[in-house]
């Protein structure tokens, strides 16, 4: 009984936050991605991702107690070298997700991801074991969609990342908890 009460109190929205580390686009990149999204041919039931929700998840952490936020914010600050993500590979996944991916991840990205993994492990938080599939989601329920015929490329300069809270039932679904930027 006591463990059930403890578990239910942990799952209360006011005590926990569903968090992830992500890269949020600048307005210029958001605009370019919106134009590309409009160039696809979508089925009538598609659920387009609103441009304000565009992001790339670096690391999904999941539910954590809010009282740990200060510790987590501080621990996730890692030195990194700015880099460019070249989003040039459109994909339509079996589950109906339309995504845009980089065909190659820069070394600086991989170094940042490794450093974040180490910090997350040190915090005792779950470490992602699945293969990393970095992408930007353009749409859901996109079965049968067709990407534009012309080659596409968005070169996204990455100068920072953020700790975000995912609030699924909110008008503002991604709340920035902390921004990290390159200094130097």
């Amino acid at each position: 009984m006591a463990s059930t009460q403890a578990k239910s109190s942990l799952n209360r929205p006011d005590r926990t936050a569903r968090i992830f580390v992500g890269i949020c686009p600048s307005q210029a990149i958001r605009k370019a991605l919106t134009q590309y999204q409009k160039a696809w041919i979508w089925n009538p039931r598609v659920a387009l991702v609103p441009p304000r929700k565009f992001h790339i998840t670096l690391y999904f952490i999941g539910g954590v107690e809010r009282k740990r936020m200060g510790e987590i914010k501080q621990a996730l600050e890692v030195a990194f070298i700015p880099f460019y993500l070249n989003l040039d590979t459109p994909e339509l996944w079996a589950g109906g997700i339309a995504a845009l991916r980089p065909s190659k991840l820069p070394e600086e990205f991989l170094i940042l991801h490794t450093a974040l993994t180490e910090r997350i492990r040190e915090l005792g938080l779950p470490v992602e074991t699945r293969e990393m599939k970095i992408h930007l989601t353009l749409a859901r329920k996109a079965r049968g969609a067709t990407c534009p015929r012309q080659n596409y490329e968005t070169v996204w300069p990455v100068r920072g990342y953020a700790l975000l809270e995912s609030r699924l039932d909110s008008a503002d679904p991604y709340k920035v908890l902390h921004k990290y930027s390159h200094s130097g």
Side-chain angles (χ1 to χ4, degrees), residues 66-166:
R66 289 188 186 280
K67 66 183 180 183
R68 291 193 69 193
M69 267 326 135
E71 170 195 17
I72 292 168
K73 287 177 189 177
Q74 184 177 5
L76 294 180
E77 185 150 1
V78 297
F80 72 99
I81 298 170
F83 55 89
Y84 292 90
L85 278 180
N86 185 8
L87 299 178
D88 59 354
T89 307
E91 294 182 353
L92 188 57
W93 299 344
I97 301 289
L100 186 58
R101 301 187 64 223
S103 57
K104 184 175 191 269
L105 290 171
E107 186 67 26
E108 297 85 357
F109 173 91
L110 298 172
I111 292 168
L112 173 60
H113 193 270
T114 299
L116 289 169
T117 300
E118 288 175 22
R119 294 291 175 92
I120 290 166
R121 184 176 282 120
E122 290 168 3
L123 286 164
L125 298 171
V127 175
E128 187 66 56
T129 56
R130 294 179 297 174
E131 180 185 350
M132 181 174 34
K133 196 167 189 176
I134 298 302
H135 68 282
L136 181 127
T137 302
L138 295 168
R140 300 184 191 304
K141 300 179 187 177
R143 292 183 200 275
T146 305
C147 68
R149 289 181 187 220
Q150 71 275 13
N151 289 339
Y152 178 78
E153 183 176 311
T154 290
V155 179
W156 182 340
V158 177
R159 304 289 177 257
Y161 59 98
L163 177 64
L164 299 113
E165 180 180 357
S166 177

Side-chain angles (χ1 to χ4, degrees), residues 27-40 42 49-52 54 136 138 152 154:
Q27 285 300 90
I29 297 297
R30 194 178 307 274
K31 185 176 179 179
L33 292 167
T34 301
Q35 292 304 317
Y36 179 68
Q37 184 187 51
K38 289 177 181 178
W40 281 61
W42 301 108
V49 172
R52 66 183 166 78
F54 286 159
L136 181 127
L138 295 168
Y152 178 78
T154 290

